[in-house]
C-alpha cells in the first residue's frame, strides 16, 4: 500500500524519508506545478541526521492527479489541513485511512467531519525537525509519536511498517487525552516565551504566572472531560521547562521568523472551549489577548 504524504515540510520529509528508506512505497503530494518543478530540480528530499545527509528521490505528484488514495499522511500545519483535504477529497477511496500530524486540537475534528467513510487517525509527536532549505530537513530531536483513533480503539496493522522504518511510536487508545495534555503544555509555555521573548528555561523567572496558568488549564481539562490530562500538569510543565531550558518554543520560533502561528489550535482552542463551558479563566483569556496584541503589532495573522 502506497503512503501518500501531503506536505514536504519538516515532519512530512522526516516521515517520507524514513518510510522510503525502509522500502515502503511513498508518493509526495506537492501544492502546485511550481513546487513540483522545484522539487524535481532538487532531485528529491534530503534528510540530515547528525553530520550525514541522504537524498531520497521519492516520486511526487499534484493534488489533482487522478489516482485514488488509500493512505494519506497529512503533514501540513493545522491551519492548512482542512483546505488541503478538501482538495484531495475526491481522490480518497472509501475506507481510506488518514494520519493527521497536526499539533493542537480542532483541525483534526474539522478534517474528520469532512470525510465520512474514511478513517482519521490523530497523532501527537515530540519529534523535532526543521527545514534547512527547500526540500532539505534536519532531524533535530529524537522523540516519540502517539497515534490513535477517537472513534475506534483497534490499532491498524500497518503500525509494523512504522516499526520497520524506525519511527518510534505507540498506539494510544486515548489519543484525545494525549492531544489535550500536549495542548495544555503548549498553552502554559509557548505564549509566555513569545511575550517575554525568551527561551523555555527563562520561564523559571515567572513561577507565579506559570502556576496560575496551569491551575486554570487543569480546571479547563477537568471541565472538558479530560481529568487524566490534568493530572500533575503543573509538575510536568516545570519538568518540560527544565528539560528544554535552552530551546525556543515552536511558537517563539514562528514569531521570530515572521511565520503564521498555530494559535487558533492551541490557546485559541483552549479559550473557545472555556467559553463553551461557561468557564471563567481570566489569566488564560488575558494571555490570549496579550498574544493577539503581540501578533497584531508585528503584522502577523491572528488566526
Ligand atoms: P512545515 O511548515 O515545515 O511543513 C508543512 C508543509 O505543508 C509545507 O511544505 C507546506 O507548503 C505544505 N502544504 C500546506 N498546504 C498544502 C497543500 N494544500 N498541498 C500541498 N502541500 C501543502 O510544518 P511542520 O513543521 O512539518 O509541521 C506540521 C505539523 O506538525 C504542525 O501542526 C506542527 O505543529 C506539527 N509538529 C511539527 C514538529 C516539527 O518538529 N516540525 C514537531 C511536532 C509537531
Ligand atoms: O512542544 C513544545 C513546543 O515548543 O511547541 C514544547 C517544547 C513542549 C514547549 O511547549
Amino acid at each position: 500500500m502506497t503512503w501518500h504524504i501531503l506536505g514536504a515540510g519538516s515532519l512530512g520529509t522526516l516521515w517520507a524519508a524514513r518510510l522510503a528508506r525502509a522500502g515502503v512505497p511513498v508518493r509526495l503530494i506537492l501544492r502546485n506545478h511550481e513546487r513540483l518543478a522545484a522539487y524535481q530540480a532538487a532531485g528529491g528530499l534530503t534528510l540530515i541526521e547528525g553530520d550525514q545527509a541522504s537524498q531520497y528521490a521519492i516520486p511526487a505528484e499534484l493534488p489533482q492527479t487522478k489516482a485514488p488514495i488509500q493512505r494519506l499522511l497529512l503533514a501540513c500545519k493545522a491551519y492548512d489541513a482542512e483546505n488541503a483535504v478538501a482538495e484531495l477529497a475526491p481522490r480518497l477511496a472509501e475506507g481510506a485511512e488518514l494520519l493527521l500530524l497536526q499539533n493542537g486540537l480542532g483541525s483534526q475534528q474539522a478534517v474528520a467531519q469532512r470525510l465520512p467513510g474514511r478513517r482519521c487517525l490523530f497523532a501527537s509527536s515530540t519529534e523535532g525537525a526543521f527545514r534547512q532549505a527547500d526540500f532539505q530537513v534536519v532531524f533535530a530531536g529524537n522523540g516519540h509519536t502517539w497515534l490513535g483513533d477517537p472513534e475506534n480503539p483497534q490499532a491498524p496493522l500497518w503500525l509494523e511498517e512504522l516499526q520497520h522504518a524506525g519511527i518510534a511510536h505507540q498506539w494510544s487508545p486515548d489519543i484525545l487525552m494525549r492531544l489535550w495534555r500536549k495542548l495544555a503544555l503548549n498553552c502554559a509555555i509557548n505564549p509566555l516565551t513569545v511575550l517575554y521573548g525568551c527561551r523555555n528555561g527563562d520561564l523559571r523567572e515567572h513561577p507565579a504566572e506559570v502556576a496560575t496558568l496551569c491551575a486554570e488549564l487543569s480546571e479547563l481539562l477537568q471541565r472538558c472531560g479530560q481529568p487524566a490530562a490534568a493530572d500533575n500538569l503543573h509538575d510536568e510543565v516545570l519538568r518540560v521547562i527544565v528539560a528544554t531550558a535552552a530551546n525556543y518554543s515552536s511558537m517563539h520560533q514562528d514569531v521570530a521568523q515572521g511565520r503564521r502561528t498555530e494559535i487558533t489550535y492551541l490557546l485559541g482552542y483552549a479559550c473557545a472551549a472555556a467559553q463553551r463551558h461557561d468557564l471563567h479563566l481570566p489569566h488564560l483569556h488575558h494571555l490570549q489577548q496579550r498574544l493577539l496584541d503581540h501578533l497584531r503589532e508585528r503584522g502577523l495573522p491572528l488566526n
Side-chain angles (χ1 to χ4, degrees):
M1 177 90 65
T2 297
W3 283 77
H4 282 86
I5 299 187
L6 181 135
S10 309
L11 278 198
T13 297
L14 183 59
W15 277 67
R18 291 178 297 181
L19 287 167
R21 94 175 146 208
V24 175
V26 177
R27 291 187 73 82
L28 295 174
I29 301 177
L30 300 177
R31 214 185 260 277
N32 52 35
H33 287 285
E34 209 181 325
R35 289 287 291 162
L36 190 56
Y39 175 72
Q40 273 149 3
L45 293 178
T46 300
L47 182 63
I48 301 154
E49 296 164 280
D51 53 10
Q52 183 148 1
S54 314
Q55 197 178 47
Y56 301 89
I58 294 166
E61 64 189 38
L62 293 173
Q64 308 82 323
T65 304
K66 289 279 179 283
I69 297 174
Q70 296 286 351
R71 189 177 298 156
L72 177 71
L73 180 72
L74 193 66
C76 58
K77 298 280 194 184
Y79 47 74
D80 281 328
E82 218 184 327
N83 283 343
V85 155
E87 209 178 359
L88 286 181
R91 294 182 60 191
L92 292 168
E94 193 64 27
E97 291 171 302
L98 289 87
L99 181 51
L100 311 178
L101 281 186
Q102 288 62 48
N103 202 11
L105 277 163
S107 72
Q108 303 90 336
Q109 294 90 332
V111 165
Q113 233 169 18
R114 276 186 170 269
L115 299 173
R118 282 73 150 215
R119 186 178 190 195
C120 287
L121 303 157
F122 299 3
S124 178
S125 182
T126 59
E127 290 195 314
F130 64 88
R131 268 189 282 184
Q132 179 173 276
D134 240 8
F135 307 115
Q136 282 188 25
V137 165
V138 178
F139 190 1
N142 285 317
H144 203 86
T145 302
W146 285 267
L147 314 162
D149 176 352
E151 304 290 323
N152 177 355
Q154 189 73 36
L157 293 175
W158 48 257
L159 291 188
E160 278 173 16
E161 288 182 7
L162 305 190
Q163 192 71 31
H164 192 50
I167 299 174
H169 69 282
Q170 191 176 323
W171 181 250
S172 171
D174 195 357
I175 190 68
L176 286 180
M177 187 277 279
R178 292 222 164 258
L179 284 162
W180 268 110
R181 176 74 163 195
K182 175 98 187 318
L183 179 145
L185 279 166
N186 286 166
C187 287
I189 297 174
N190 299 12
L192 288 179
T193 63
V194 171
L195 294 171
Y196 290 120
C198 70
R199 293 176 197 265
N200 293 354
D202 299 328
L203 294 185
R204 285 174 288 197
E205 288 161 31
H206 304 276
E209 209 169 356
V210 171
T212 309
L213 286 174
C214 287
E216 289 194 357
L217 285 161
S218 298
E219 209 183 328
L220 175 66
L221 292 168
Q222 303 271 3
R223 186 68 77 89
C224 291
Q226 297 292 338
D231 224 22
N232 292 321
L233 177 66
H234 186 214
D235 289 346
E236 191 173 353
V237 166
L238 296 179
R239 192 185 60 69
V240 171
I241 285 174
V242 171
T244 63
N247 298 357
Y248 286 107
S249 75
S250 54
M251 190 178 270
H252 183 288
Q253 292 176 42
D254 284 341
V255 174
Q257 290 168 36
R259 292 191 304 238
R260 183 175 174 184
T261 67
E262 294 183 301
I263 179 175
T264 304
Y265 305 89
L266 297 166
L267 190 53
Y269 188 87
C271 289
Q275 201 172 8
R276 259 198 323 277
H277 287 280
D278 269 333
L279 196 57
H280 182 52
L281 300 176
H283 295 88
L284 205 62
H285 184 70
H286 184 51
L287 184 69
Q288 185 190 29
Q289 294 315 310
R290 287 158 69 200
L291 186 58
L292 289 172
D293 287 346
H294 189 93
L295 298 178
R296 197 177 291 111
E297 280 161 21
R298 280 153 189 79
L300 290 174
L302 305 184
N303 60 357

